[in-house]
Amino acid sequence: MLSRLAGNVFHVGSAVERTDVVARLLDVYVARREPGTVDDDRLVAAELRSVVGTAGPARDADRTATIDALALDRHEPASIAAAVAVARDHARRAREVVSSELWDCLDVTRSRMPRKIAPDRAHEFLGWARERSALAIGVVEGDASRDEVWEFFALGRALTRCASTARLLASRLLEPDVVTSWSAALRACGAGEAFLRGRDHAPVPADAAAFLLLDEHSPRSLRYTVHRAAECLADVAPACVADEVGDFAEVRAALDALPREEALGAVGAVGDRVAAAADRVASALDERVFSTAAPVL
């Protein structure tokens, strides 16, 4: 597969996943969070930027400003609007391998992105963004052949989910000993209902940590996502990123070896390590696989 096409498909998957990730984080930690002080709101805004992979100033001092910046600002690389535009633009560049249904889905999403939303409509908009992301993923998962196109799309999604989940677990948004903090983290990762199924009690920190880090069956757990990314890397990663892939394999092995009873105490360190490894793989792919040389004039 041409590196240009592989890179475009990878970035479509990554951007579609980022749309879902940012929408869930904003919904849990901003739109539906209990009102706090200005300092609290500023801390949440800064931590959210860190979780989605971009450092930002503390200018987002209230909920409206945070939602405007991370949901609607087309010039903010971490925003939903930017992710939607990236997904559509990369799909356009890979039209020969992207299905018409996926292209139509991304094109419609981009055309319907609002430039402003009322504060009391934020939850509704964020739900719409999640639904559009799920629709794009459903088109690929339901119709695409399991070839290299699907592998690179899945790899982009897996690395993005892996890095964002890991950064959330290592961030100050999560207070490891506080039950309500774990409830919020589970919902922000899309794992709240899956965790509670079969349980008749609120999240116990140790159980919630073990679930989000080590569950083998939930696609929202760190272990599952790391294995997903590693499987895709094993199928499509070339030799020029072998060192980064090896580092990622070591992270997967460390997760597999982590006892469930030690998950709570290890959550911050594991989050930092996994996020760093995922970011290194993504950067190496961009620099050594997907980049194309400038034409010689």
Side-chain angles (χ1 to χ4, degrees):
M1 187 176 181
L2 292 175
S3 61
R4 171 183 61 84
L5 294 176
N8 285 323
V9 173
F10 173 89
H11 288 295
V12 171
S14 176
V16 167
E17 185 66 29
R18 193 164 72 250
T19 299
D20 179 79
V21 166
V22 178
R24 290 180 186 277
L25 289 168
L26 283 175
D27 198 31
V28 171
Y29 289 108
V30 181
R32 293 194 287 171
R33 185 173 66 90
E34 291 297 322
T37 66
V38 171
D39 287 341
D40 288 339
D41 289 344
R42 188 175 289 116
L43 173 64
V44 167
E47 288 299 307
L48 283 176
R49 286 178 176 275
S50 175
V51 170
V52 297
T54 181
R59 58 184 173 83
D60 305 329
D62 59 44
R63 297 181 181 210
T64 301
T66 301
I67 290 173
D68 284 346
L70 292 180
L72 305 175
D73 188 349
R74 287 165 166 77
H75 303 292
E76 167 57 69
S79 73
I80 292 171
V84 167
V86 166
R88 192 257 188 198
D89 289 346
H90 281 284
R92 176 178 55 80
R93 297 170 192 161
R95 285 293 284 119
E96 57 262 55
V97 296
V98 168
S99 70
S100 297
E101 289 83 0
L102 178 59
W103 164 252
D104 289 343
C105 173
L106 298 174
D107 191 42
V108 169
T109 304
R110 176 67 178 84
S111 68
R112 293 182 180 175
M113 270 295 299
R115 292 188 176 273
K116 201 75 178 173
I117 54 174
D120 60 348
R121 301 289 296 275
H123 173 66
E124 179 182 339
F125 163 74
L126 296 169
W128 174 82
R130 294 198 309 273
E131 288 172 2
R132 297 304 299 182
S133 174
L135 179 59
I137 293 167
V139 167
V140 176
E141 292 296 324
D143 298 340
S145 297
R146 268 39 180 178
D147 55 12
E148 285 184 318
V149 175
W150 179 84
E151 293 274 14
F152 278 110
F153 181 87
L155 178 59
R157 287 187 58 220
L159 286 176
T160 297
R161 180 179 293 186
C162 180
S164 61
T165 301
R167 283 193 290 262
L168 173 61
L169 294 175
S171 75
R172 288 185 290 174
L173 292 173
L174 178 64
E175 300 175 72
D177 297 324
V178 179
V179 170
T180 55
S181 185
W182 279 107
S183 295
L186 286 162
R187 287 186 285 113
C189 291
E193 292 188 8
F195 174 80
L196 291 174
R197 191 172 297 123
R199 292 178 171 88
D200 57 0
H201 57 79
V204 175
D207 288 347
F211 184 86
L212 274 183
L213 260 68
L214 303 175
D215 191 83
E216 298 178 359
H217 306 293
S218 171
R220 298 290 177 172
S221 81
L222 205 54
R223 184 179 186 181
Y224 185 102
T225 309
V226 165
H227 273 263
R228 188 76 154 104
E231 290 167 359
C232 293
L233 285 169
D235 289 338
V236 300
C240 58
V241 293
D243 289 343
E244 288 78 11
V245 172
D247 290 343
F248 199 77
E250 290 180 6
V251 168
R252 180 182 63 175
L255 264 178
D256 289 343
L258 181 67
R260 293 180 64 87
E261 60 271 16
E262 296 180 14
L264 182 60
V267 64
V270 170
D272 283 334
R273 185 179 179 187
V274 172
D279 288 341
R280 282 196 299 271
V281 171
S283 296
L285 288 170
D286 267 335
E287 293 170 5
R288 290 178 240 150
V289 180
F290 302 147
S291 62
T292 55
V296 177
L297 300 178

